[in-house]
Amino acid sequence: MGIFTRRNQTENDRNGAAVATLEVDPALAALTGDYAIDPAHSSIGFTVRHAMVTNVRGAFTEHEGTLHLDGADPARSTATIEVKIASVDTGIADRDAHLRSGDFFDAEAFPLMTFRSTTAATLGGDTYRITGDLTIKDVTRPLSIDLEFNGSATDAYGNERVGFEGSAEILRSDWGLTWNAALEAGGVMVSDKVKLTFDISAIKQA
């Protein structure tokens, strides 16, 4: 059952006709609250096509964020994430330095990438869509992220956790990330399309 799934009941309106109402599942309503993303057990990654033939994968290893989950009304749920650009890690130091440079993110001038949600909606089952504003460098544009709810649990330290995983695709040029190099055989070094991935574990706050 999804985090925001509600079961149907019926009751009579003032004219005596049966109408559908919604009752919140108590187990799901109990998840309502504020959560802090646990960076030690979460990842924010990306995949981009390189030289037209293979994929380069990387991640931002330093990030923080908050979630507000509303089990009665999913549209009132929110998410905020801040990512430290300098933490980009693709496994190759020279490439990471290039990504931090002015050719790409210009991490010195623009140290953070941020996402702040504006709307939330259910897509059915355990799948949800969070739409908000993604800011990279000095450009802010809308982004929708499709997320799957992985469940909730109490960990060994008594923390109440929820988990989500999801993805989104962007064109990096929409955020001014336009650096590229032409290949002798045709095509370019780095694709415009980038896949973003999110694997989130968040702890409920007291």
Side-chain angles (χ1 to χ4, degrees), residues 45-65:
F46 59 89
T47 303
V48 61
R49 186 63 62 99
H50 177 262
M52 308 295 291
V53 296
T54 190
N55 290 318
V56 168
R57 293 175 172 83
F60 295 95
T61 60
E62 296 183 45
H63 51 81
E64 61 183 26

Side-chain angles (χ1 to χ4, degrees), residues 64-85:
E64 61 183 26
T66 59
L67 308 175
H68 174 75
L69 304 182
D70 192 321
D73 184 358
R76 295 172 62 88
S77 298
T78 60
T80 299
I81 300 174
E82 292 188 348
V83 175
K84 291 186 178 180
I85 294 298

